[in-house]
């Protein structure tokens, strides 16, 4: 059985034959409007609890439900904007955004990839699972699976922005047309990179299990080597690469020095 190595996979990315999927780790070292990195799940749950003056709970959906009832959606929406709209990213994000990805998928609310595109002068189209799948060719699509901060309002807070129990009970990603697009992309891609993503979402695991021999072309990029539980979860689907998105960006830049495209101009 042939197993692609990491260097080969980097060349596939440079050639426009790879998919990237980002998680919370991709937004490390970015800075949001409130002056800090965007909070991850439990951190956000604790922030909501503190703002609503309730006992701390770790479950984000439960914390959000109570916080919205006490503070109202009109106050929660701008607060989330301060937490997830970014004012700065790193040069490594820009390097990764320069790659001609088949498509970009993310579970993040924030606009890190959008800002990276804008700063390098690359156009893009941001979509969510409720967006139509028919998009212009070469649109550089960025799909926010759990919702996007720049389309958040008092209506989407309860639907496509996955935060409350109600929003999680609306449209499931597996039931959306975009899940079929992801399956097709993963099947056709020569390589797939999951950057800062822990495979926490069961829907994404189910999708990966649909892809024949997916583990031969998937690479999971983490800042440091994961613990036993995460290692076991991830190794079912691909190879682990450490060093975080910074090393990943540097590896792409290094691979590009000797890269020759196989695409016909």
């Amino acid at each position: 059985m042939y197993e692609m190595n990491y260097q080969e996979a980097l060349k596939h990315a440079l050639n426009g034959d790879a998919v990237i999927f980002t998680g919370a780790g991709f937004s490390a070292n970015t800075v949001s409007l409130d002056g800090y990195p965007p909070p991850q799940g439990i951190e956000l749950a604790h922030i909501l609890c503190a703002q609503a003056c309730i006992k701390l709970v770790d479950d984000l959906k439960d914390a959000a439900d109570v916080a919205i009832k006490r503070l109202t959606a009109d106050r929660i929406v701008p607060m989330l904007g301060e937490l997830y709209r970014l004012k700065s990213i790193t040069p490594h994000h820009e390097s990764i955004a320069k790659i001609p990805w088949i498509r970009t998928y993310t579970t993040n609310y924030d606009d890190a990839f959008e800002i990276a595109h804008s700063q390098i002068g690359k156009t893009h189209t941001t979509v969510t699972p409720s967006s139509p799948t028919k998009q212009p060719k070469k649109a550089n699509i960025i799909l926010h699976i759990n919702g996007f901060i720049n389309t958040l309002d008092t209506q989407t807070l309860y639907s496509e922005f996955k935060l409350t129990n109600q929003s999680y009970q609306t449209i499931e990603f597996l039931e959306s047309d975009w899940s079929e697009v992801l399956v097709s992309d993963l099947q056709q891609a020569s390589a797939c990179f999951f950057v800062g993503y822990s495979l926490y979402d069961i829907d994404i695991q189910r999708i990966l299990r649909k892809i024949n021999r997916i583990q031969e072309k998937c690479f999971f990029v983490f800042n440091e080597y994961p613990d036993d539980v995460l290692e076991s979860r991830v190794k079912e689907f691909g190879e682990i690469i450490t060093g975080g998105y910074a090393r990943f960006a540097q590896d792409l830049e290094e691979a590009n020095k000797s890269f020759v495209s196989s695409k016909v101009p």
Side-chain angles (χ1 to χ4, degrees):
M1 180 175 63
Y2 171 72
E3 291 189 11
M4 181 192 319
N5 67 44
Y6 178 55
Q7 292 302 318
E8 289 177 281
L10 294 173
K11 295 292 177 69
H12 285 307
L14 294 168
N15 205 50
D17 297 322
V19 167
I20 187 170
F21 195 116
T22 70
F26 184 75
S27 297
N29 300 315
T30 63
V31 180
S32 63
L33 295 181
D34 78 337
Y36 298 94
Q40 297 185 27
I42 293 178
E43 293 175 278
L44 178 57
H46 290 178
I47 290 171
L48 292 172
C49 290
Q51 290 294 318
C53 299
I54 60 175
K55 184 178 179 180
L56 291 184
V57 296
D58 292 342
D59 187 279
L60 178 55
K61 298 188 293 296
D62 290 342
D65 283 345
V66 177
I68 291 171
K69 287 176 182 176
R70 292 206 174 186
L71 301 175
T72 76
D74 288 332
R75 291 178 61 186
I76 291 291
V77 168
M79 185 183 80
L80 292 172
E82 289 290 309
L83 295 173
Y84 290 101
R85 284 193 180 95
L86 304 182
K87 62 182 179 181
S88 69
I89 58 171
T90 74
H92 300 306
H93 292 99
E94 295 179 14
S95 295
I96 294 170
K98 289 176 183 177
I99 304 302
W101 303 106
I102 294 173
R103 228 177 305 273
T104 300
Y105 294 87
T106 182
T107 53
N108 297 342
Y109 303 141
D110 66 64
D111 52 355
F113 229 101
E114 284 81 2
I115 291 175
H117 274 204
S118 297
Q119 291 186 179
I120 63 174
K122 185 175 179 180
T123 60
H124 62 270
T125 300
T126 298
V127 297
T128 62
S130 63
S131 304
T133 55
K134 190 173 183 180
Q135 299 287 338
K137 290 185 177 180
K138 299 183 179 179
N140 296 318
I141 289 173
I142 305 170
L143 172 61
H144 286 260
I145 292 173
N146 290 337
F148 181 44
I149 193 61
N150 289 349
T151 59
L152 175 64
D153 56 30
T154 55
Q155 300 301 313
T156 57
L157 180 63
Y158 297 102
S159 55
E160 69 178 28
F161 199 84
K162 299 305 179 189
L163 179 66
T164 65
N165 279 292
Q166 181 177 331
S167 64
Y168 272 94
Q169 290 165 7
T170 55
I171 298 174
E172 292 290 340
F173 181 65
L174 274 180
E175 299 170 1
S176 73
D177 293 337
W178 280 105
S179 70
E180 296 178 12
V181 176
L182 175 56
V183 169
S184 176
D185 284 348
L186 293 172
Q187 288 173 332
Q188 295 179 26
S190 298
C192 311
F193 294 93
F194 292 79
V195 184
Y197 180 61
S198 63
L199 266 183
Y200 178 80
D201 305 78
I202 193 67
D203 280 1
I204 304 304
Q205 293 184 44
R206 287 170 177 158
I207 286 173
L208 291 179
R209 288 192 174 95
K210 294 181 180 181
I211 313 301
N212 186 38
R213 299 168 72 172
I214 186 68
Q215 70 276 9
E216 296 176 24
K217 60 180 179 181
C218 273
F219 298 84
F220 291 84
V221 180
F222 294 110
N223 190 46
E224 56 188 26
Y225 203 85
D227 60 31
D228 292 342
V229 174
L230 181 53
E231 177 190 26
S232 176
R233 182 192 309 154
V234 168
K235 276 199 165 182
E236 177 184 349
F237 301 105
E239 181 180 338
I240 294 171
I241 304 295
T242 58
Y245 68 80
R247 179 211 165 166
F248 181 51
Q250 293 165 350
D251 290 344
L252 286 166
E253 291 171 354
E254 188 63 29
N256 194 42
K257 293 177 182 179
S258 58
F259 172 69
V260 178
S261 176
S262 64
K263 298 286 179 74
V264 177

